[in-house]
Amino acid sequence: MNATVIRTGLGMVAAALLLAGCTDIERALNKGGDTPCNEYVTQDPDTKRTTITKFVKQQTGDDREPAGTVVDATIISVDLLCATQRNAETPIKNADVAGIFLNK
């Protein structure tokens, strides 16, 4: 077999493995509760769900997947709070009603 064909085949396999693991890598790199509001509000719905799921796990100290209703309710709360925070750099874990009025 030609060395170029082997290298091309190995390159394709490596690319496929990287693409398949993107969500795992994204989850590992996701900051969860440390994500600033200005970054959170620009995330697509799937990334928001990943961020909030990690945030809930951080808050509870439990590595199990939280209930979907807990994640949904937290998404709604964080969406509302982050949309109104005076300081866009506020991490989602610190977003609260006071941050609407005060530059926290």
Side-chain angles (χ1 to χ4, degrees), residues 3-15:
T4 304
V5 173
I6 292 173
R7 281 192 299 249
T8 302
L10 290 174
M12 289 172 50
V13 169

Side-chain angles (χ1 to χ4, degrees), residues 3-103:
T4 304
V5 173
I6 292 173
R7 281 192 299 249
T8 302
L10 290 174
M12 289 172 50
V13 169
L17 289 173
L18 283 173
L19 289 174
C22 279
T23 45
D24 292 336
I25 292 169
E26 181 180 298
R27 284 186 185 126
L29 296 177
N30 190 296
K31 296 180 266 186
D34 292 325
T35 304
C37 279
N38 62 345
E39 184 180 312
Y40 174 81
V41 297
T42 64
Q43 292 178 343
D44 63 78
D46 290 335
T47 305
K48 279 186 178 182
R49 188 161 203 83
T50 300
T51 300
I52 295 299
T53 299
K54 188 167 186 175
F55 169 49
V56 170
K57 287 179 180 181
Q58 290 168 337
Q59 293 294 98
T60 62
D62 190 348
D63 237 10
R64 292 178 292 177
E65 289 297 309
T69 54
V70 171
V71 174
D72 292 339
T74 307
I75 287 172
I76 292 168
S77 296
V78 173
D79 280 349
L80 289 171
L81 291 170
C82 279
T84 55
Q85 292 298 294
R86 287 186 56 151
N87 180 358
E89 294 294 322
T90 300
I92 64 171
K93 68 182 178 190
N94 296 337
D96 61 13
V97 175
I100 296 170
F101 305 106
L102 306 171
N103 197 11

